[in-house]
Amino acid sequence: MNPHTKLISYLSLLLGTTITISSNHWMMAWTGLEINTLAIIPLISKSHHPRAIEAAIKYFLVQATASTLMLFSSMTNAWLTGQWDITQLTHSTSCLLLTTAIAMKLGLVPFHFWFPEVLQGSSMTTALLLTTMMKFPPITILFMTSHTLNPTLLTSMAIA
């Protein structure tokens, strides 16, 4: 991989993580998550092995689905309450959709089948990035909205 491409990918990962962690608006948090997703895909597929390409496609599809759910959750909340602030998530349907989206992004129990396969197709450095740095933005969103999330859903996911 070209050193300039690698540098741009790593800087984009830092930028996306910083944007998501420091945002109070749903669109900025979503933008940061998308920057992270698009920055890690070249790092996953850099070996040009079929397994790495498959891992990159799986990662992209799962993350795009989770991002769509998160955006739909925030739009539903904004439509019903008029608030785009992350801490003002008050509608129950929006809370359920957001919990599902965050669980998909983190690879939590009901949605965890993609994660080992993506790690298997990645290099060690990329796998370390996926298991550490790529978890910070969704966990931050989870903490920022923890007071409004459905405890029954979180408990059932923890038990599973």
Side-chain angles (χ1 to χ4, degrees), residues 98-115:
L98 180 73
T99 306
T100 304
I102 295 297
M104 286 177 74
K105 281 200 162 293
L106 289 172
L108 296 181
V109 166
F111 309 105
H112 70 287
F113 295 110
W114 64 272
F115 198 61

Side-chain angles (χ1 to χ4, degrees), residues 32-140:
L33 289 171
E34 289 302 307
I35 289 172
N36 271 352
T37 299
L38 294 176
I40 197 76
I41 289 175
L43 296 173
I44 294 172
S45 63
K46 70 180 173 186
S47 69
H48 300 296
H49 190 270
R51 192 170 210 149
I53 303 300
E54 179 185 352
I57 291 171
K58 284 181 183 179
Y59 183 79
F60 175 74
L61 290 175
V62 169
Q63 294 299 313
T65 304
S67 289
T68 304
L69 272 176
M70 192 180 103
L71 193 59
F72 182 66
S73 167
S74 63
M75 286 175 51
T76 303
N77 188 61
W79 186 336
L80 295 171
T81 64
Q83 294 289 327
W84 280 98
D85 190 19
I86 289 179
T87 59
Q88 299 298 320
L89 188 69
T90 56
H91 196 260
S92 61
T93 305
S94 298
C95 292
L96 289 174
L97 287 173
L98 180 73
T99 306
T100 304
I102 295 297
M104 286 177 74
K105 281 200 162 293
L106 289 172
L108 296 181
V109 166
F111 309 105
H112 70 287
F113 295 110
W114 64 272
F115 198 61
E117 295 175 9
V118 170
L119 291 179
Q120 217 170 26
S122 303
S123 67
M124 182 63 78
T125 306
T126 307
L128 286 172
L129 278 173
L130 285 170
T131 55
T132 57
M133 188 174 167
M134 296 300 288
K135 302 296 182 195
F136 291 144
I139 287 175
T140 302

